[in-house]
Amino acid sequence: MNIEFIQALHDLEKEKGIKVDILLEAIEAALISAYKKNFGSAHNVRVEIQRDTGEIKVLAQRQVVEEVSDPRTEISLAEARAINSNYEIGDVVEKEVTPRDFGRIAAQTAKQVVVQRIREAERNLIYDEFIGRENDIVTGVVQRQEGKNVILDLGRAEAILLPSEQSPGEVYRQGERFKAYILEVRKTNKGPQILVSRTHPGLIKRLFELEVPEIHDGIVEIKGVAREAGARSKIAVHSRDEKVDPVGACVGPKGSRVQAVVQELRGEKVDIIKWSDDPAVFVANSLSPARVLDVTVDEENKVSQVIVPDNQLSLAIGKEGQNARLAARITGWKIDIKSESEAGDWDTWDNDLELEGGIEEE
């Protein structure tokens, strides 16, 4: 090694952010192992790299003791003081034992260490970049499939879309580009492992934040999201400005904003409802697109009884109960739905639809 090598390490520090001292310490540690492996030494040794010239020295170390039991690692006080009169018991005496051809071994070892540290540094940089993006969305390109897992190319890293996080009915073709929600970033020996989702409610929330400037600016707030991925979702929105219609802002001119979200979700239906701090109003809004005639609420038990026109009952309940189920999730209320003609006696109604759910917020 020479001054050019030291300069190269300084260049790496600027480019990769790996400190020169850390690299040199790692090289010194690796050279100790290389020395013992190649020269069969049982001595305690220390490797020293001159920070200004790059010169390498291998120094055998022996501890000063009163009685020598192993001359390879120990030296008597008399011998030590023959070298330097200042030595005392417990001091360490060093003697240079650098082999003639150690430079070649040192160069190979240094290269391996530097390459390894560069890889580690790059992995750490990628990890640091993505750990701060958990609960955010990324755009990836389908690179390949490993079993049922879909591997996405994110540019500097890969992400894994597990089968449990794949939206029902979606087919992922190689080279296809789409957005996904970052669930978790794990640190592993092979680099960061990034887990993403196409089913998480947070994906819809983040998509609307991208499409709707009023949400990005904090004027409109998403209060909750309920989702059955691949089929239907509901989002509850609220405006902090009375002059801004939160539903209209999310729908956009000629429906452009909501359609952009639906397109990204490959046709998943999205109901945008107005949030209210009045439970009766919020429950009524949550059953959109069905029209509600009356809502009675039991705030203590969080149960609501809803009356809808006869021709709106199936719409309020939805296919296989989906609309009512999502309404219950986004409001956090149990919802009993009955048609107008059946609303005479709630106590004798045995086929009421009772659903529980909670607001899913990020």
Side-chain angles (χ1 to χ4, degrees):
M1 291 186 206
N2 50 34
I3 189 63
E4 286 80 8
F5 176 76
I6 299 297
Q7 184 58 51
L9 295 185
H10 282 286
D11 292 341
L12 273 176
E13 181 177 28
K14 294 176 183 177
E15 182 182 348
K16 302 291 185 180
I18 314 171
K19 293 187 177 298
V20 172
D21 285 342
I22 293 176
L23 281 173
L24 289 174
E25 287 170 8
I27 294 169
E28 287 170 345
L31 287 177
I32 291 174
S33 298
Y35 174 80
K36 291 184 176 181
K37 178 181 178 181
N38 287 275
F39 298 96
S41 173
H43 292 82
N44 290 330
V45 297
R46 179 175 71 87
V47 172
E48 179 181 273
I49 301 175
Q50 296 295 324
R51 269 41 177 178
D52 51 351
T53 64
E55 181 185 358
I56 296 175
K57 291 182 180 180
V58 181
L59 303 168
Q61 296 181 315
R62 291 192 294 173
Q63 189 174 22
V64 179
V65 296
E66 291 183 357
E67 185 176 342
V68 177
S69 58
D70 185 350
R72 294 172 301 181
T73 59
E74 297 172 339
I75 186 172
S76 68
L77 181 60
E79 286 183 273
R81 285 185 171 173
I83 299 170
N84 189 318
S85 61
N86 293 324
Y87 280 123
E88 299 290 344
I89 298 295
D91 289 344
V92 174
V93 177
E94 292 186 332
K95 179 183 177 182
E96 184 175 356
V97 291
T98 310
R100 288 184 179 179
D101 60 345
F102 194 60
R104 175 181 56 82
I105 296 171
Q108 293 174 347
T109 304
K111 180 180 178 181
Q112 293 170 358
V113 170
V114 170
V115 169
Q116 181 182 356
R117 286 305 173 110
I118 289 173
R119 287 175 182 165
E120 290 175 1
E122 289 176 342
R123 289 170 181 169
N124 288 335
L125 287 172
I126 294 171
Y127 175 80
D128 291 341
E129 175 185 345
F130 284 96
I131 191 65
R133 297 185 65 186
E134 283 185 339
N135 304 323
D136 199 356
I137 59 175
V138 289
T139 301
V141 177
V142 178
Q143 190 175 72
R144 64 186 185 279
Q145 286 196 273
E146 294 180 355
K148 293 183 179 180
N149 296 336
V150 178
I151 309 301
L152 298 182
D153 180 6
L154 303 182
R156 296 187 62 195
E158 289 183 349
I160 303 173
L161 181 63
L162 298 172
S164 59
E165 301 300 331
Q166 296 172 19
S167 186
E170 286 191 346
V171 178
Y172 306 102
R173 298 179 178 84
Q174 188 172 8
E176 187 176 17
R177 181 184 297 270
F178 59 81
K179 291 180 173 61
Y181 182 85
I182 299 180
L183 284 176
E184 184 181 0
V185 181
R186 300 172 181 170
K187 202 168 192 176
T188 71
N189 293 332
K190 296 182 179 179
Q193 185 182 68
I194 304 168
L195 304 178
V196 296
S197 174
R198 285 281 292 175
T199 63
H200 197 281
L203 177 62
I204 290 183
K205 185 174 181 180
R206 295 291 180 257
L207 287 173
F208 272 100
E209 287 174 354
L210 288 176
E211 294 294 335
V212 182
E214 290 86 348
I215 295 177
H216 182 271
D217 295 339
I219 300 172
V220 173
E221 179 185 3
I222 297 177
K223 286 288 192 177
V225 179
R227 186 181 184 199
E228 293 190 359
R232 191 170 193 163
S233 295
K234 288 182 182 286
I235 70 165
V237 293
H238 169 68
S239 176
R240 295 188 175 97
D241 186 341
E242 294 180 357
K243 298 178 181 179
V244 177
D245 173 19
V247 175
C250 292
V251 171
K254 298 182 179 179
S256 59
R257 293 173 179 174
V258 68
Q259 282 304 313
V261 174
V262 170
Q263 185 176 357
E264 177 61 41
L265 298 176
R266 300 183 179 182
E268 182 176 317
K269 295 179 180 178
V270 179
D271 297 334
I272 305 170
I273 63 173
K274 189 174 182 179
W275 177 84
S276 174
D277 56 5
D278 183 333
V281 174
F282 189 26
V283 168
N285 292 345
S286 73
L287 289 169
S288 174
R291 182 166 59 89
V292 174
L293 296 176
D294 185 57
V295 178
T296 303
V297 296
D298 177 355
E299 295 198 24
E300 182 177 351
N301 298 307
K302 297 201 77 173
V303 175
S304 61
Q305 296 177 334
V306 179
I307 299 174
V308 298
D310 291 355
N311 64 352
Q312 297 279 298
L313 181 61
S314 60
L315 185 62
I317 296 172
K319 185 179 180 181
E320 298 178 351
Q322 185 183 72
N323 191 57
R325 189 163 57 246
L326 289 172
R329 288 179 189 169
I330 202 166
T331 59
W333 284 69
K334 180 186 289 185
I335 300 177
D336 299 341
I337 304 175
K338 194 172 183 182
S339 69
E340 187 176 11
S341 60
E342 297 173 321
D345 189 354
W346 283 90
D347 295 331
T348 60
W349 182 33
D350 296 327
N351 298 316
D352 58 346
L353 180 65
E354 299 184 355
L355 299 163
E356 290 187 355
I359 297 177
E360 301 180 25
E361 295 187 7
E362 296 306 305

